[in-house]
Amino acid sequence: MRIVVCVKQVPDTTEVRIDPVKNTLIREGVPSIVNPFDECAMEAALRFRRDYGGTVVALSMGPPQAEAALRKCLAMGADEAVLISDRAFAGADTLATSFALARAIAKIGADLIFCGKMAIDGDTAQVGPGIAEHLGLTQVTNVQKIREARADYLMVERVCEGGYELVRASRPVLLAVEKTIGEPRYPSVKASVRARRAAITAWNAADIEAPEEKIGLNGSPTQVTRIFTPETRRRSEMLEAATAEGLCDLLLAKLRDAEII
Ligand code: FAD
């Protein structure tokens, strides 16, 4: 059984800077990390392998530098790593990204696919469900725990408002996971050194038989017309009164003025 974990390399910052002309994220000069949700997905896959067997393959789409993210996964314990990289993938929106990843997964031949709930830079949470749609697979999002695995289905907990749903999902299945699924392990120094020398499979668009019109800009119906940080409109004001009752009266008057009550 092959278990694929989709891993995105993201900028190591919560300070997203935007190029005002191109309307794209400025990635230059920002150190990169493995998307934190994907580290948890990798941890979940490694625990699944421990309990039920299989081979864990880390898969990423990105520029050649994304190899670093895959090496981190190998150091954590992944058996293999695949990077799909091609100039033709550039400018891909979530539809084209999930299409290319789906093609790679079809070539790898997986029975269980893990994604993070979302990537901390793009934040759309669309790629996991997109991959499942392209491959015609069962998908469960917001997964916090795998309760049980059987040959033809998994029992998983899916977070929902106020609790969780217990979902029986037929296999093959794609799970988009919450961080609570597992605290990612720290790779040992020895494992990190070994991972630095490990071979990474590199595929381009032709290798995954991805038609030109379905990848990169050509395969992306989304147009980003403008990206901006919304203006903060919050105001603050100190209310002072000699007594608690006086303070409450002042507060109530303010709320009435603002038509909140
Ligand atoms: P989410 O959907 O939030 O991610 C969910 C999960 O999917 C992740 O946790 C991970 O498991 C998996 N996943 C997501 N992306 C990858 C990946 N690349 N490899 C492996 N697993 C993955 N980005 C660029 O870098 N260069 C561009 O030129 C570019 N052009 C764009 C043009 C348009 C019009 C748009 C809309 C977006 C563009 N993007 C570009 C952003 C790119 O589409 C997204 O980064 C990508 O589709 C992932 O979406 P997301 O970050 O919202 O991931």
Side-chain angles (χ1 to χ4, degrees), residues 106-239:
K107 181 162 173 161
I108 294 166
D111 162 77
L112 175 59
I113 299 139
F114 285 93
C115 283
K117 174 170 98 171
M118 62 187 207
I120 60 164
D121 58 346
D123 264 13
T124 67
Q126 290 175 358
V127 170
I131 294 170
E133 282 300 310
H134 286 302
L135 292 171
L137 300 181
T138 315
Q139 56 172 293
V140 190
T141 54
N142 303 80
V143 174
Q144 66 171 2
K145 190 173 184 179
I146 299 174
R147 284 263 194 108
E148 188 190 356
R150 293 289 174 98
D152 54 347
Y153 69 87
L154 296 184
M155 291 297 285
V156 300
E157 289 179 16
R158 178 178 190 275
V159 180
C160 59
E161 212 177 317
Y164 65 84
E165 297 165 341
L166 194 56
V167 179
R168 180 180 158 143
S170 55
R171 296 169 77 165
V173 59
L174 180 143
L175 306 178
V177 304
E178 299 277 346
K179 282 189 190 162
T180 42
I181 196 150
E183 177 77 21
R185 63 195 66 188
Y186 284 106
S188 67
V189 175
K190 204 168 146 193
S192 300
V193 171
R194 213 173 32 236
R196 244 180 269 152
R197 295 195 208 109
I200 289 179
T201 304
W203 288 336
N204 60 21
D207 292 325
I208 56 171
E209 293 174 30
E212 241 176 58
E213 67 279 9
K214 294 240 178 167
I215 53 172
L217 266 183
N218 295 337
S220 300
T222 321
Q223 298 282 315
V224 180
T225 50
R226 189 171 160 232
I227 302 180
F228 62 95
T229 310
E231 235 176 79
T232 310
R233 298 209 185 135
R234 275 186 228 137
R235 281 184 298 138
S236 64
E237 189 181 335
M238 287 295 283
L239 300 180

Side-chain angles (χ1 to χ4, degrees), residues 91-107:
D93 67 5
T94 55
L95 184 71
T97 300
S98 52
F99 176 79
L101 288 168
R103 297 296 309 163
I105 291 166
K107 181 162 173 161

